Amino acid sequence: MFKINENYLQLNRNYLFSTISKKIDEFAQVNPNADIIRLGIGDVTKPLPASVIDSIHKSVDEMSKKETFRGYGPEQGYKFLREKIAETDYQKRGLKIDADEIFVSDGSKSDTGNIGDILGYNNTIAITNPVYPVYLDTTIMRLGNSDKLHLLECNEENGFLPEIPSKPIDIVFLCYPNNPTGTVMNRKKMKLWVDWALSNKSLILFDAAYEAYIMDEDVPKSIFEIENAEKCAIEFRSFSKNAGFTGLRCSYTVVPKALKTISSNGDVQSLNLLWGRRQSTKFNGTPYIVQRAAEAVYSIEGQEEVGDLVSYYMNNAAVIRNGLISKGWTVYGGENAPYVWLKCPEGHDSWSFFDQLLEKCHIVGTPGVGFGSNGEGYFRLTAFNSYEKTVEAVERINTHL
Ligand code: MLT
């Protein structure tokens, strides 16, 4: 008889956001007239920037002509996009990242989930608690609920920022600005992590999907702003949250050539080569049209439009944060991140607050406990809805709860 990967049986039955959308559907069926405001999944609502749409139209036309049609592209991404990313997101900021260290993909969810393919099964892995569920679930898919998995406790006492591990850890997932808590890591703290990784020969998997929302100068947008991080870190970036690509799908992963480790035969191994090898076998590249769309993000107009999108959502974050604080709620995040993390009112756990918010205010959020046990008693609201809906949501909360 064939066997399944039984590690899957150790996962929660459903992915967090699937459970939530099922609950919303059930509520909407019973309450067909309810005007539900969705501040749950971190999905953008504003349309794609005009420069991105123009570029999509142009590349669709290219695909229609024999001379300019494109079939399979390079698995790691087209040179035109890799060069633009390296130049704009890194070199212009004084960071030495080259185009051949950039791997274009269809989303940070895929890349943070797939990166384990090039990492050994015997690594000890640390994730924060609470955490973006993909790091936990994909680790369990590979290792099961293994004693190799360690949780870095994040709570009110440490401002939802993890302490440097006290036990040996080979690989750590860090996400800053943080999903779900909206907290950020300043330069000093990030340097502690890089120094720890270098001295322990550990690897940092750094998810920077929300870097566009950083307003504070003291918060690095890239882990490679920290000296020598290219020897211990891989960085994941996305076009989803800054340029509205959640439906279009494009991201990139930076695997520096300086990032090396030693295999059991004593040879030095480059993770850049391994990830390139993995991608060329398992991935046929992000669509040409989508890569042209991402390229447009780097045009002068594109940069302005993306800046406007980010400001729009950050204004929403301020509406939620300030609106709730003014009524006495305890709130984290929302200042350098599109997520606001609030403490549920006395007597509520995360799911009972979810139900109350849905029933009394017709608002959907994400229960903190869905991100891990330390999220119990907390709740996440996103800034990605429209300004009008966001204002109304805060009014409803402050009126009905
Ligand atoms: C979230 O709501 O946490 C995000 O939408 C997750 C994601 O980007 O995959």
Side-chain angles (χ1 to χ4, degrees), residues 15 17 40-43 109 132 179 210 241 339 371 380 382:
Y15 185 60
F17 294 105
I41 190 163
D43 194 4
K109 184 175 183 175
Y132 175 43
N179 179 12
Y210 299 94
K241 316 288 168 161
Y339 294 126
F371 300 100
R380 194 193 76 176
T382 85

Side-chain angles (χ1 to χ4, degrees), residues 39-72:
L39 305 180
I41 190 163
D43 194 4
V44 295
T45 51
K46 298 277 275 180
L48 289 163
S51 56
V52 168
I53 293 292
D54 276 356
S55 182
I56 292 174
H57 284 155
K58 280 190 198 126
S59 50
V60 167
D61 287 343
E62 284 182 58
M63 293 298 242
S64 73
K65 296 187 197 99
K66 201 170 90 201
E67 303 73 36
T68 46
F69 166 77
R70 311 272 181 142
Y72 290 128

Side-chain angles (χ1 to χ4, degrees), residues 358-388:
L358 188 56
E359 278 154 27
K360 285 201 176 162
C361 305
H362 300 172
I363 293 172
V364 177
T366 310
V369 71
F371 300 100
S373 58
N374 282 354
E376 181 57 284
Y378 293 87
F379 202 78
R380 194 193 76 176
L381 295 174
T382 85
F384 286 127
N385 211 315
S386 68
Y387 172 72
E388 293 72 23

Side-chain angles (χ1 to χ4, degrees), residues 70-74 76-83 286 288 291:
R70 311 272 181 142
Y72 290 128
Q76 290 78 14
Y78 283 99
K79 201 169 159 202
F80 64 78
L81 180 57
R82 299 173 88 194
E83 283 180 350
T286 308
Y288 172 70
Q291 293 193 55

Side-chain angles (χ1 to χ4, degrees), residues 314-324 387 390-392 394:
M314 280 313 285
N315 187 45
N316 289 350
V319 166
I320 302 174
R321 188 182 152 87
N322 300 336
L324 295 182
Y387 172 72
T390 305
V391 169
E392 193 180 331
V394 173

Side-chain angles (χ1 to χ4, degrees), residues 44-307:
V44 295
T45 51
K46 298 277 275 180
L48 289 163
S51 56
V52 168
I53 293 292
D54 276 356
S55 182
I56 292 174
H57 284 155
K58 280 190 198 126
S59 50
V60 167
D61 287 343
E62 284 182 58
M63 293 298 242
S64 73
K65 296 187 197 99
K66 201 170 90 201
E67 303 73 36
T68 46
F69 166 77
R70 311 272 181 142
Y72 290 128
E75 297 89 357
Q76 290 78 14
Y78 283 99
K79 201 169 159 202
F80 64 78
L81 180 57
R82 299 173 88 194
E83 283 180 350
K84 269 272 151 37
I85 293 170
E87 192 189 305
T88 318
D89 290 345
Y90 295 97
Q91 293 159 6
K92 280 192 178 155
R93 294 181 181 171
L95 307 176
K96 289 200 189 85
I97 296 292
D98 292 330
D100 57 0
E101 298 175 298
I102 308 286
F103 294 82
V104 178
S105 174
D106 66 349
S108 294
K109 184 175 183 175
S110 324
D111 284 1
T112 52
N114 290 329
I115 195 73
D117 276 13
I118 63 166
L119 302 168
Y121 283 78
N122 42 0
N123 287 300
T124 45
I125 301 184
I127 59 169
T128 58
N129 174 17
V131 74
Y132 175 43
V134 172
Y135 318 146
L136 174 66
D137 285 2
T138 56
T139 303
I140 293 177
M141 284 171 185
R142 278 184 352 110
L143 306 181
N145 270 324
S146 145
D147 58 1
K148 298 201 175 340
L149 182 64
H150 296 276
L151 298 183
L152 303 170
E153 305 303 338
C154 298
N155 45 42
E156 272 194 297
E157 286 70 55
N158 58 25
F160 291 100
L161 283 174
E163 307 299 336
I164 299 288
S166 49
K167 43 183 110 162
I169 294 293
D170 299 311
I171 297 167
V172 62
F173 280 94
L174 295 176
C175 172
Y176 290 96
N178 186 253
N179 179 12
T181 62
T183 51
V184 285
M185 197 178 268
N186 67 20
R187 209 166 291 278
K188 195 169 157 207
K189 183 101 181 172
M190 206 177 285
K191 184 174 170 4
L192 287 180
W193 276 96
V194 168
D195 290 347
W196 162 84
L198 291 168
S199 61
N200 287 278
K201 299 191 187 342
S202 302
L203 173 65
I204 300 177
L205 299 173
F206 191 77
D207 188 347
Y210 299 94
E211 58 76 31
Y213 292 85
I214 295 172
M215 304 288 138
D216 187 338
E217 294 275 304
D218 190 37
V219 177
K221 282 177 165 280
S222 165
I223 194 162
F224 301 122
E225 288 179 38
I226 309 296
E227 204 183 349
N228 289 323
E230 69 282 1
K231 295 178 188 151
C232 66
I234 290 175
E235 179 163 286
F236 304 90
R237 293 256 195 129
S238 170
F239 293 96
S240 285
K241 316 288 168 161
N242 60 346
F245 277 48
T246 50
L248 202 55
R249 310 306 307 150
C250 194
S251 68
Y252 65 87
T253 291
V254 186
V255 190
K257 284 173 284 188
L259 180 60
K260 306 229 162 103
T261 191
I262 297 176
S263 52
S264 51
N265 63 359
D267 289 349
V268 175
Q269 305 293 347
S270 152
L271 274 80
N272 178 283
L273 291 181
L274 291 184
W275 185 243
R277 186 68 185 82
R278 188 267 173 209
Q279 290 298 79
S280 54
T281 298
K282 288 199 179 183
F283 184 59
N284 255 339
T286 308
Y288 172 70
I289 295 168
V290 174
Q291 293 193 55
R292 281 293 184 200
E295 182 193 28
V297 167
Y298 294 101
S299 63
I300 293 172
E301 306 77 49
Q303 291 283 283
E304 269 173 26
E305 289 162 339
V306 165

